[in-house]
């Protein structure tokens, strides 16, 4: 690009004195320019004095070393041992201690924080568990996370999605109303399995599995879950006693209208009023982030006001929480059941809630880490969250993780270290020890209102619209997750959405972009002629860029597609009286990897083109591809005379050769 | 590259007269050169007279048009209507007729061919079907394919893999010895479903599904299947009467040695002798391709000789085929059963055999088409093969497809059109009508020997060794298929191998290559410093090439990896007293696609780098990526001042800016 302005002024007169080294490409490029504006001249090859650059191969590695590097990249992408390099052994011990118990890292720098409203009680109800379990789950897990976790901003506790999924999966087998003890046992056991699953993922460094839940999937999933959750709250909000045990949209709506004679006007008035206030404060805080305390404080205020009202009123038609046991978490290790007919169910529920809560926890941790410019170690986080849940299941807690809403509140309140988790646990401790009787008159309807307010925020209509605008397949995954959760089941919705996301990746690999490239005037760069309208084809050359790894799944397509381009280009040449294609240049710059089928495809393409007396040359293979090529027969076939440093050099070298007879 | 030799001689003296347009990049590149050899000079920015090229976006398309193009590429990659363009309607009618019945296309040009030995009888035994079904299957399907098929070289008939799979899947539920009629019914019904499945795949243009059976998978699968098949032949070869009904390696070996008292020495001698001869002729033909007729004719000759021997000998200890009914295929439409408890099994078997036989048929068709320089339409082939099997199932045939061994024989014999299929059918017709009694004394042991000879050729040790040398994960898929088929079951082996193949694709997407790039001296090209040892980093710049589409599955990794490179490069700069990184250039040339998560990742990376006062610029996004970027918020953030035509221009432009305070 730089000096070509001068080159353009050179005539491609072959009678000129010996061309400077490398002029061939310039001549070709100049010819290409001319071709855009006028019928192309016969390409007059420059002399053979052409300085070409060799295609390099990365330094040879043994198979074992290559494997080690590859595995390292898969399992240790974050290079966790980096800081241990070049350190004394005493220093290494301290670092290791800090690695496993990050509390040592920030133990000194700590700042107290605001007392925050607690949603634990409401989330436990989402999982069909007694409200007190929600408080228990806000006490022990934060303490454990404070010890093990590596994120400084993550606030730990029960979250809505995992609560909902646990509730809906367990309720398929056991009714929480009819068999409350069995249901509790299953919940704790599932929590235990969730912890085991999470810790193993982290230990085996398989953390990348959570990456397969795409944001599009989660957008749809959360919106669907939010609606399902809100619908479940109609029970509390309308005061209905006989409510369906199903979660599906249709079942719930049918149940709501079937029992319309049970609707309680007092409950409805109270619920609607508080719901409006909560939604309003939420809206105000969203518009004016400085008023964040409004939405943060509103739930607790509502609980207090409604409890007082309900205490004064004492209406029998408003159902209240009732008596809650005072005292800290009772041990529950004896409630874990690993035998009997429900083992499969608890394992399934554990894996499902485990992966969902991991996804939320990791995403939140990463988000705040990137805002505050530090890195969280995903795999270590998983181990911390896993251990936290395993311990939690023995102390009357159900699944907990890093919660987005809690962490956001922490963050706005200026928390800088994980000590915030300890402070939060202390606040819950005070509640458990002394404040439990105060909840006696808290109306259930207020919990429903708080839950609805919390989950409504999960519906991201603007995000879905953005998906539609940018990527239709992402939107499809989103819509599938949404409708699947709403109409079929939570698992089905997630499974379909993950399937679509994976299919999208496979589709892109199966049908990769192949583009015809031309030279951009004033440069030596070859670009897609569809993208750069000024890019001009070089006569007698077909330059095809392959924009994907070449795999078994697309190797056949690649050959077919190149042949189709060749046919089109020959038709075009025939129509416009240009010289026919003599050389096909495959630009491999964007081919990130190749497998044995891909190598075979290159050989086959060469064979097919040879029969038609057309040359096939390759340009700019990347390291791993060049390595593979030289390890196989392809390396010999495409020797140094068919393998070029760049498309420009390939064209230049090709132009140097006399036209084939 | 071309003119840079001159540029190198330019000094980067800022006091020189106004730089020529575009000199900035040259200066940067020259600076980079200097940097390799000596402590880097303070990068002296050129004047701002810098001709930059804009990044283009493909012509705007409506969502509907984009979707249509995308779907067109997925479902009509071969552009089947191409030849209908610009034709009169009469001509179009002729073309359409030729499209649906390719026989019209080559009806005139036909050449007779050699009579060929037929393996149909043996393959039927592989599927535990009566031998006559093999002959029937060599009669009707070739006729139908001659009418509908588009490949001129494909010879149609039963093939070993599909026969084996059908036999092993059906035998799990029904014993062919105890319930022969039911077994036949299931075989025909499975064949019908295989046809329906194949035709639907073709009709729905989902032909790319067969691409997911990679060559590596098939190599392992076929080797495993060949061994299993050979082991089954031990029954005939040793003359064992009570043989296990299982297919697994261990079961069969146990059964063979448990019944060693049933071994018949006469059978063993005869079998070993013929097997040796067959393997020998095979070996000779393989070494000397001109003697192909030796291996082609050996099976028929062996059948004739052994039948004569057995007729003379009439030993009761050598089991013979026995009486075969004379006459052409009886109708079997009444044997198709679509109700009852076996429907699921037949559908499963149909899909399995259907996809396997398609894979072989399509691969063979494509191979010979590319040798003879024409194209087969994969989807149309599928419809032809599907209709052939549906019709076959009503005429006492089981699953058939294009067979590699038959086609290869045809090809060597000089067949040029699908009339060869008609000739073959005629030969089988003569056999069926007149020669059936001759098979009465054909010993079963000879069929076993023929089968072993046929399938041994499927074991491709050299191919497996090549896989190991070139791609360890491909080898793993191959080994998994081999061991799975041998030790567990045919379906399990295939499923695991396909799973590994897909995992390989996903893994490459999840952990894409990211490389640090430097400028190659004498060019303006940036290449991986790991691959090109001469490539030199540009001081204060970190150029990272992303060699994969950016998806939800790798967007988090991308951010982490770039930050890790940044850390490493800053450490390196500190150590060697270079200026610290001021600008990160992301080379997007090899990013074939991006989704919403990927766009978010770019935004996040920018945010994180902004906090550290480091610029993030993007270079050379391809069409679809540029389109997406401009459709989203990324387009605004990375406006024209952060989006460059090439890395060289990005570096040049960056060098023009004064260092940040």
């Amino acid at each position: 690009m730089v000096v070509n302005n001068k080159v353009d002024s050179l005539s491609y007169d072959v009678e000129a004195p010996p061309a400077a080294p490398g002029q061939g490409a310039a001549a070709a490029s100049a010819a290409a320019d001319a071709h855009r504006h006028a019928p192309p001249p016969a390409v007059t090859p420059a002399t053979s004095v052409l300085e070409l650059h060799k295609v390099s191969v990365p330094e040879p590695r043994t198979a074992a070393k290559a494997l080690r590097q590859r595995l390292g990249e898969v399992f240790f992408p974050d290079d966790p041992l980096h800081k241990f390099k070049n350190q004394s052994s005493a220093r290494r011990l301290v670092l290791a201690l800090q690695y496993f118990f990050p509390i040592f890292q920030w133990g000194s720098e700590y700042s107290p924080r605001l007392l925050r409203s607690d949603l634990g009680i409401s989330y436990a109800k989402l999982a069909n568990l007694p409200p007190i379990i929600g408080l228990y789950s806000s006490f022990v897990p934060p303490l454990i996370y404070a010890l093990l976790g590596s994120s400084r901003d993550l606030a730990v506790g029960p979250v809505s999605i995992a609560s909902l999924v646990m509730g809906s999966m367990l309720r398929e087998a056991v009714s929480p109303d009819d068999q409350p003890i069995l249901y509790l046992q299953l919940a704790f056991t599932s929590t235990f399995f969730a912890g085991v699953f999470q810790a193993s993922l982290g230990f085996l460094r398989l953390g990348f599995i959570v990456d397969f839940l795409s944001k599009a999937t989660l957008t749809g999933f959360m919106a669907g879950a939010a609606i399902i959750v809100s619908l479940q709250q109609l029970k509390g909000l309308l005061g209905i006693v006989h409510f369906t045990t199903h979660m599906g949209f249709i079942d719930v709506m049918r149940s709501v209208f079937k029992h319309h004679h049970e609707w309680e006007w007092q409950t409805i008035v109270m619920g609607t009023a508080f719901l409006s206030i909560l939604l309003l404060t939420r809206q105000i805080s969203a518009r004016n982030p400085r008023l964040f305390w409004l939405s943060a404080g509103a739930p607790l205020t509502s609980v207090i006001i409604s409890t007082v009202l309900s205490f004064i009123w004492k209406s029998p038609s408003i159902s209240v929480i009732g008596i809650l046991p005072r005292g800290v978490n009772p041990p529950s290790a004896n409630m874990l059941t690993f035998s009997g007919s429900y083992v499969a169910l608890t394992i399934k529920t554990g894996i499902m809630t485990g992966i969902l809560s991991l996804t939320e926890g990791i995403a939140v941790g990463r988000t705040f880490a990137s805002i505050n410019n530090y890195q969280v170690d995903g795999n270590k986080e998983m181990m911390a969250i896993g251990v936290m849940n395993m311990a939690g299941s023995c102390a009357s807690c159900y699944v907990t993780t890093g919660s987005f809403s809690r962490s956001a509140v922490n963050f706005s309140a200026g928390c800088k270290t994980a000590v915030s988790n300890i402070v939060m646990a202390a606040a819950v401790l005070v509640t458990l020890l002394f404040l439990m009787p105060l909840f006696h008159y808290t109306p259930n309807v207020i919990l429903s209102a708080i839950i609805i307010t919390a989950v409504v925020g999960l519906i991201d209509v603007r995000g879905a619209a953005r998906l539609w605008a940018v990527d239709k397949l992402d939107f499809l995954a989103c819509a599938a997750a949404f409708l699947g959760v709403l109409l079929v089941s939570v698992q089905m919705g997630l499974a379909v959405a993950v399937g679509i996301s994976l299919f999208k990746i496979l589709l892109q690999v199966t049908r990769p972009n192949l583009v015809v490239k031309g030279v951009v005037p004033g440069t030596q760069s070859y670009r897609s002629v569809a993208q750069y309208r000024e890019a001009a084809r070089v006569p007698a050359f077909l330059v095809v860029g392959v924009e994907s790894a070449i795999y078994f799944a697309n190797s056949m397509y690649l050959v077919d597609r190149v042949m189709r381009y060749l046919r089109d280009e020959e038709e075009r040449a025939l129509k416009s009286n240009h010289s026919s294609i003599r050389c096909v240049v495959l630009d491999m710059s964007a081919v990130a990897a190749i497998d044995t089928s891909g190598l075979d495809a290159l050989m086959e393409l060469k064979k097919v083109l040879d029969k038609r007396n057309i040359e096939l040359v390759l340009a700019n293979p990347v390291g791993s591809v060049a390595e593979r090529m030289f390890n196989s027969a392809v390396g010999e076939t495409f020797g140094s005379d068919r393998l070029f440093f760049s498309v420009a050099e390939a064209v230049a070298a090709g132009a140097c050769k006399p036209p084939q007879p």
Side-chain angles (χ1 to χ4, degrees), chain A:
Chain A
M1 143 224 107
V2 175
V3 208
N4 252 30
N5 285 18
K6 295 182 198 154
V7 172
D8 278 349
S9 63
L10 286 175
S11 74
Y12 30 84
D13 179 2
V14 278
E15 304 307 322
Q23 188 168 356
S29 145
D33 275 8
H35 161 62
R36 274 176 53 249
H37 306 299
V43 175
T44 2
T47 60
S48 57
V49 194
L50 180 69
E51 196 207 9
L52 292 180
H53 297 83
K54 270 208 177 158
V55 173
S56 293
V57 185
E59 280 188 61
R61 307 175 286 181
T62 60
K65 194 178 172 197
L67 199 66
R68 205 180 327 126
Q69 287 183 352
R70 180 104 190 106
L71 290 178
E73 206 53 54
V74 171
F75 295 111
F76 299 92
D78 45 359
D79 189 12
L81 301 179
H82 176 79
K83 59 187 165 200
F84 289 94
K85 275 179 201 152
N86 314 322
Q87 300 286 355
S88 71
S89 45
R91 179 89 191 112
R92 275 186 195 175
L93 183 71
V94 174
L95 284 172
L97 218 56
Q98 289 187 349
Y99 180 80
F100 289 108
F101 301 100
I103 194 170
F104 289 110
Q105 212 165 344
W106 46 258
S108 48
E109 9 147 344
Y110 127 94
S111 76
R113 53 179 280 289
L114 271 176
L115 229 164
R116 222 180 23 71
S117 72
D118 205 283
L119 293 171
I121 292 182
S122 328
Y123 288 143
K125 291 207 66 172
L126 260 190
N128 304 308
L129 291 166
I132 189 76
I133 302 290
L135 273 182
Y136 291 157
S137 303
S138 304
F139 174 51
V140 169
L143 289 179
I144 299 173
Y145 185 82
L147 200 66
L148 298 173
S150 62
S151 165
R152 297 176 210 150
D153 299 282
L154 212 60
V156 163
V159 297
S160 53
I161 298 278
S163 307
L164 165 75
V165 170
M166 177 171 282
S168 79
M169 286 183 76
L170 292 184
R171 205 152 78 165
E172 275 171 20
V174 174
S175 157
D177 300 321
D178 301 345
Q179 300 173 283
I181 300 297
L182 176 61
Y183 191 87
L184 252 187
Q185 287 177 336
L186 296 189
F188 292 147
T189 313
S190 302
T191 302
F192 180 80
F193 280 124
V196 170
F197 176 67
Q198 294 168 330
S200 336
L201 275 191
F203 186 73
L204 300 174
R205 307 206 64 89
L206 293 172
F208 60 83
I209 285 179
V210 300
D211 289 341
F212 283 106
L213 281 177
S214 72
K215 205 173 161 183
T217 305
L218 285 176
T219 303
F221 176 76
M222 293 209 291
I227 290 180
I228 288 215
V229 170
S230 303
L231 289 177
Q232 289 290 317
Q233 305 318 312
L234 288 178
K235 183 187 179 196
L237 218 54
L238 301 174
I240 296 173
V241 181
H242 300 94
F243 203 68
T244 175
T245 56
H246 291 108
M247 308 287 291
F249 179 78
I250 293 160
D251 288 321
V252 172
M253 290 318 282
R254 197 181 287 150
S255 169
V256 163
F257 287 102
K258 196 174 144 201
H259 299 107
H260 61 91
H261 53 273
E262 293 182 8
W263 295 11
E264 285 285 352
W265 71 266
Q266 290 173 314
T267 312
I268 296 177
V269 168
M270 192 172 197
T272 317
F274 278 102
L275 184 59
S276 313
I277 292 170
L278 286 167
L279 288 173
L280 191 70
T281 55
R282 200 193 144 75
Q283 199 62 25
I284 293 172
S285 295
R287 295 235 171 140
N288 191 343
R290 271 185 307 167
L291 298 177
F292 78 92
W293 51 268
L294 209 58
S295 66
L300 188 59
T301 321
S302 308
V303 168
I304 295 170
I305 295 176
S306 65
T307 307
V308 170
L309 282 179
S310 150
F311 179 75
I312 297 167
W313 213 337
K314 286 208 179 98
S315 157
S317 64
I318 292 180
S319 83
V320 294
I321 290 186
I323 296 165
L324 290 176
R326 210 194 279 191
V328 298
N329 304 23
S332 63
N334 59 329
M335 296 185 78
L336 302 181
T337 45
F338 301 115
S339 58
S341 54
Y342 294 114
V343 174
L345 175 71
T346 49
I347 291 179
K348 219 171 74 179
T349 310
I351 290 179
M352 203 77 178
T353 52
I355 204 159
L356 281 171
S357 57
L358 265 194
T359 308
E360 177 163 359
I362 302 290
V364 174
R366 273 178 171 161
T367 305
F368 285 103
S370 80
I371 291 176
N372 290 338
N373 198 16
Y374 64 92
Q375 304 227 337
V376 293
D377 176 340
N379 287 302
K380 212 173 73 188
E381 273 301 279
M382 288 183 191
M383 282 194 268
I385 294 178
V387 171
M388 171 177 96
N389 278 321
M390 285 195 282
S393 69
C394 304
S396 298
C397 304
Y398 76 111
V399 174
T400 51
T401 186
S403 138
F404 189 79
S405 48
R406 283 166 190 247
S407 306
V409 171
N410 265 6
F411 183 72
S412 340
C415 298
K416 285 280 167 289
T417 70
V419 172
S420 58
N421 275 311
I422 299 179
V423 175
M424 184 173 81
V428 173
L429 181 65
V430 171
T431 312
L432 283 171
L433 290 181
F434 310 111
L435 309 181
M436 292 321 289
L438 300 184
F439 285 111
H440 184 268
Y441 283 101
T442 304
N444 279 320
V445 66
I446 205 70
L447 297 184
S448 296
I450 292 176
I451 292 179
I452 293 181
T453 316
V455 298
V456 154
L458 297 177
I459 305 178
D460 185 3
V461 178
R462 204 174 295 167
R466 209 176 124 242
L467 290 178
W468 171 258
V470 176
D471 189 334
K472 304 286 179 286
L473 266 174
D474 269 0
F475 181 81
L476 184 66
C478 172
F482 177 74
L483 294 175
V485 169
L486 204 58
L487 302 177
V488 190
S489 76
V490 167
Q491 303 101 291
M492 185 51 74
L494 261 191
V496 170
V498 169
I500 292 177
S501 302
L502 295 187
F503 176 73
K504 197 183 101 173
I505 292 183
L506 293 178
L507 193 63
Q508 205 268 330
V509 173
T510 314
R511 291 284 181 266
N513 273 346
L514 270 83
V515 293
V516 173
K517 292 189 164 189
V519 67
V520 175
T523 76
Q524 288 160 31
S525 301
Y526 282 73
R527 293 284 189 274
S528 157
V529 292
Q531 186 184 0
Y532 290 86
R533 254 145 291 165
E534 67 271 30
R537 291 172 172 82
V538 184
F541 282 89
L542 170 60
V543 181
V544 177
V546 184
E547 297 182 347
S548 158
I550 305 180
Y551 277 139
F552 63 92
N554 61 24
S555 58
M556 284 290 188
Y557 171 77
L558 175 80
V559 177
D560 286 354
R561 196 71 190 81
V562 170
M563 294 312 288
R564 196 171 122 204
Y565 273 135
L566 186 62
R567 186 190 67 192
D568 292 351
E569 290 298 313
E570 288 195 326
E571 280 176 9
R572 162 197 287 269
L574 205 69
K575 212 180 280 170
S576 53
N577 248 338
H578 288 177
S579 52
S580 68
I581 304 295
R582 284 202 324 271
C583 182
V584 174
V585 182
L586 226 51
D587 184 356
M588 310 272 285
S589 317
V591 178
I594 197 165
D595 71 354
T596 41
S597 304
L599 294 170
D600 288 344
L602 290 183
M603 296 290 274
E604 193 187 314
L605 187 59
K606 178 161 184 341
K607 210 160 64 183
V608 175
L609 290 176
D610 274 351
K611 291 225 170 180
R612 298 173 65 165
N613 225 347
I614 295 173
E615 274 230 69
L616 175 67
V617 302
L618 308 180
N620 189 23
V622 303
S624 57
V625 173
E627 207 173 34
R628 286 249 159 106
M629 279 168 47
F630 285 109
N631 278 346
S632 70
V634 176
E636 291 150 35
T637 311
F638 294 90
S640 56
D641 54 333
R642 289 211 182 77
L643 196 58
F644 291 94
F645 176 78
S646 64
V647 175
E649 295 199 4
V651 169
C656 291
K657 289 191 188 163
Q660 310 251 349

